[in-house]
Amino acid sequence: MKTAKGKGAAKRETLKPVDDGKVGKRKAAGKADKSGSKAKKGKLAKDPNKPKRPPSAFFVFLEEFRKTFKKENPNVKAVSAVGKAGGEKWKSLSAAEKAPYEAKAAKRKAEYQKLINAYNKKQESTADDGDEESEIHDDDDESGQGDDEEEDDDDEDDD
DNA sequence: ATATTGATTGTTCCG
DNA sequence: CGGAACAATCAATAT
């Protein structure tokens, strides 16, 4: 780990491409399932269904960008290349262009909160310790869950 | 053989 | 309020 580069012991990894004044960054954590199903289980399996963080607008944009990028650069094998290129392009986009991505991201976030809600309940369900200020009221369902504003942008591709 | 890193930015949560 | 951690990705690398 860590190719002996770290200064002393801090700084997570993912170092320094451009430290503007941002905060810094760190690295990811654990990857467990991969490679299809052969590996069965690595060992990092913890919670059954933990909702991962919703992709930001940038990620949503990247998903599409990656395809395009690789399509024109099938030789590129570095993920960092797409990341960098995507970052540059991202900044090149106008607010209007980012709008659809942000909208999508917003939706993801809403779903995430919902998942978290369910996830939390599940957790508290098993934990029966004493306190925990969770209102498990389970009243009736929330009302109005079907209102979908935001036009469904299902497919807008006109090729 | 599998976990990890590398790079981007945004989002989200904890102190 | 601020910052640290983590989200996808995929190939290469380290353990």
Side-chain angles (χ1 to χ4, degrees):
Chain A
M1 321 87 167
K2 185 171 270 255
T3 30
K5 251 200 238 137
K7 286 182 175 208
K11 270 322 216 162
R12 293 298 48 57
E13 262 59 52
T14 2
L15 299 206
K16 50 100 238 136
V18 280
D19 339 21
D20 260 82
K22 285 277 153 64
V23 236
K25 13 127 45 82
R26 30 108 305 296
K27 230 267 11 163
K31 258 140 188 337
D33 42 285
K34 222 140 199 124
S35 302
S37 27
K38 250 188 282 122
K40 218 129 243 229
K41 68 220 343 260
K43 58 167 82 185
L44 262 107
K46 307 158 75 295
D47 288 316
N49 55 348
K50 178 169 44 199
K52 300 207 237 201
R53 294 183 298 175
S56 52
F58 177 57
F59 264 53
V60 180
F61 158 75
L62 255 187
E63 282 186 53
E64 203 178 67
F65 183 80
R66 273 186 307 235
K67 287 186 210 156
T68 307
F69 184 89
K70 290 181 71 94
K71 192 175 182 166
E72 307 210 24
N73 303 287
N75 301 315
V76 175
K77 28 204 180 121
V79 294
S80 2
V82 188
K84 283 193 227 170
E88 269 189 275
K89 182 68 171 281
W90 178 250
K91 293 190 178 155
S92 175
L93 295 177
S94 307
E97 279 146 330
K98 300 193 321 193
Y101 298 108
E102 285 180 352
K104 203 115 180 263
K107 206 167 174 172
R108 284 280 179 268
K109 187 178 85 129
E111 285 184 62
Y112 172 72
Q113 283 171 349
K114 189 174 76 164
L115 290 170
I116 283 291
N117 187 4
Y119 177 72
N120 284 335
K121 283 198 174 174
K122 228 179 172 243
Q123 293 296 319
E124 92 177 60
S125 240
T126 48
D128 50 41
D129 226 344
D131 43 303
E132 246 93 82
E133 63 281 338
S134 28
E135 330 140 6
I136 319 160
H137 263 346
D138 259 46
D139 276 48
D140 284 21
D141 270 28
E142 270 60 327
S143 41
Q145 189 54 258
D147 49 345
D148 265 307
E149 294 103 41
E150 272 122 76
E151 347 21 323
D152 257 279
D153 52 324
D154 249 357
D155 37 59
E156 218 100 89
D157 67 340
D158 41 48
D159 245 354

